[in-house]
Amino acid sequence: KAGVTQTPRYLIKTRGQQVTLSCSPISGHRSVSWYQQTPGQGLQFLFEYFSETQRNKGNFPGRFSGRQFSNSRSEMNVSTLELGDSALYLCASSLYRGENYGYTFGSGTRLTVV
Amino acid sequence: AQSVTQLGSHVSVSEGALVLLRCNYSSSVPPYLFWYVQYPNQGLQLLLKYTSAATLVKGINGFEAEFKKSETSFHLTKPSAHMSDAAEYFCAVSETGANSKLTFGKGITLSVRP
């Protein structure tokens, strides 16, 4: 079965612009989480969505937002991009919320802000 | 609050040698523990997970880890390293209950010498 699909794989944006990243979870998975990975801060939790509702949020500014659609696909948006937003953004899906049996990660979207 | 400590940022072993990657965790409730591997320009792949069943957990590619509550450790081992094991390895903790976010360690880069 298909894994977690993230699009696009690579993205270059200019400071001040906004960007939208997409994540399609494994078919049947209802929970989608987003993580930011940078060399300096490592992997940090952004937010989690389940049944179209944000259930948990990490310590990121309000410029970072997301949503989940009825088919469980999720998007995250970053507005007013800063150089420090350059990172690999990873999406992970799991069958249920709070299911601690392992999350399946996508290959990520590498965002470069110039 | 939960946290993960991975001592050292880089481990180098010879092909065929024992691989030992250390992970210590902190959690206020019984934790779920994971090891993930990341190859260059890819997402995270689950190696193994501890979910309060057997304390010795076997994963993919010959890796295993042992949960030791008294030492708050979950070290990853593999008896014989292969060149293809060269990658970055992340230990992660998740608490039981509704807060299912993963908290990651800083990661360890494993190099395998021929």
Side-chain angles (χ1 to χ4, degrees):
Chain A
K1 73 186 182 184
V4 178
T5 303
Q6 291 189 246
T7 56
R9 286 295 311 275
Y10 301 92
L11 206 48
I12 300 175
K13 289 287 188 179
T14 304
R15 269 184 304 174
Q17 288 186 314
Q18 74 166 19
V19 66
T20 299
L21 312 181
S22 178
C23 172
S24 294
I26 289 174
S27 178
H29 282 197
R30 297 169 61 191
S31 174
V32 173
S33 298
W34 289 87
Y35 291 81
Q36 181 196 63
Q37 184 178 23
T38 60
Q41 299 299 317
L43 282 151
Q44 294 185 286
F45 172 77
L46 279 157
F47 26 64
E48 177 202 4
Y49 287 87
F50 183 81
S51 293
E52 302 177 64
T53 302
Q54 186 180 93
R55 304 291 181 156
N56 202 356
K57 189 177 191 305
N59 189 25
F60 279 82
R63 300 185 297 107
F64 291 81
S65 63
R67 59 178 175 169
Q68 186 180 35
F69 302 95
S70 59
N71 62 358
S72 294
R73 191 176 71 84
S74 177
E75 290 181 347
M76 68 163 281
N77 184 277
V78 187
S79 63
T80 318
L81 283 166
E82 301 177 0
L83 295 179
D85 297 333
S86 294
L88 180 65
Y89 290 88
L90 293 165
C91 168
S93 75
S94 63
L95 188 57
Y96 300 115
R97 179 161 191 262
E99 180 203 317
N100 289 292
Y101 295 102
Y103 296 82
T104 302
F105 281 80
S107 297
T109 293
R110 184 165 297 281
L111 171 65
T112 302
V113 182
V114 296
Chain B
Q2 56 196 24
S3 66
V4 172
T5 301
Q6 293 183 252
L7 289 178
S9 59
H10 185 238
V11 169
S12 180
V13 301
S14 298
E15 192 172 20
L18 171 72
V19 175
L20 170 60
L21 303 181
R22 300 179 186 275
C23 172
N24 289 89
Y25 71 91
S26 171
S27 176
S28 57
V29 299
Y32 291 147
L33 294 159
F34 307 84
W35 275 99
Y36 284 88
V37 61
Q38 186 177 35
Y39 298 98
N41 297 316
Q42 294 189 25
L44 302 174
Q45 180 182 9
L46 180 67
L47 278 177
L48 48 78
K49 55 184 179 275
Y50 167 76
T51 57
S52 76
T55 56
L56 181 62
V57 181
K58 294 188 185 297
I60 62 172
N61 302 338
F63 285 95
E64 63 181 37
E66 186 172 7
F67 173 69
K68 292 187 177 180
K69 183 179 179 181
S70 61
E71 299 177 7
T72 61
S73 69
F74 190 58
H75 302 330
L76 181 71
T77 60
K78 181 174 180 177
S80 177
H82 191 272
M83 298 296 290
S84 62
D85 294 327
E88 191 161 17
Y89 292 80
F90 293 92
C91 181
V93 63
S94 178
E95 295 183 344
T96 56
N99 184 4
S100 57
K101 73 173 187 178
L102 291 169
T103 298
F104 287 89
K106 293 290 189 184
I108 297 175
T109 300
L110 175 67
S111 300
V112 182
R113 304 184 301 272

